[in-house]
Amino acid sequence: AVVAISDSPIGVDIESLERDFTRAADRYMSAEELALSTRHEWAAMVWTAKEALYKLYGRRGLDLLNDLTVFDYDPEAQTLQGRVNGGDEATISFNFIDDKIIIATAQLR
């Protein structure tokens, strides 16, 4: 479970890193997104980022591959930039718990 308190809208996703995100990567990650990092958690990071964006924007029927985009990865800050359908940009921050859980939090910039 995750509890988030914010003065502005946010989207949060939490996942187990024991899940194999690479099996479905071609259904939610573009070649450009794949090329942003070689981290072994990268597929999980993109999945949770897009799920957090989906929840932030609150629009049903969005396609993770075609409607949601992540870009501009900052490995030092552990953040990505993302957007829905070329719209407003959001910053997605990541937290890792015991190398088993990943939490992504998306907020509009």
Side-chain angles (χ1 to χ4, degrees):
V2 173
V3 175
I5 299 171
S6 176
D7 294 343
S8 61
I10 61 172
V12 177
D13 191 49
I14 182 171
E15 297 283 348
S16 169
L17 285 170
E18 294 175 3
R19 181 176 167 193
D20 184 4
F21 290 91
T22 61
R23 288 179 29 160
D26 62 336
R27 293 194 302 255
Y28 68 89
M29 193 167 18
S30 70
E32 293 82 10
E33 293 165 337
L34 183 61
L36 287 173
S37 178
T38 58
R39 283 183 71 151
H40 72 276
E41 310 98 345
W42 187 243
M45 291 175 71
V46 173
W47 174 269
T48 57
K50 288 189 174 194
E51 284 286 320
L53 282 171
Y54 186 93
K55 294 169 184 174
L56 169 66
Y57 284 92
R59 292 175 34 203
R60 295 178 188 252
L62 293 173
D63 180 78
L64 294 179
L65 179 61
N66 298 307
D67 297 327
L68 299 156
T69 304
V70 296
F71 58 95
D72 196 25
Y73 174 50
D74 181 343
E76 193 168 305
Q78 292 200 90
T79 60
L80 281 168
Q81 301 304 312
R83 66 177 155 245
V84 174
N85 290 327
D88 294 335
E89 293 182 7
T91 298
I92 303 104
S93 303
F94 295 92
N95 291 301
F96 295 88
I97 301 172
D98 297 330
D99 294 327
K100 294 182 180 179
I101 302 291
I102 182 172
I103 303 170
T105 307
Q107 290 187 286
L108 292 175
R109 291 183 17 170

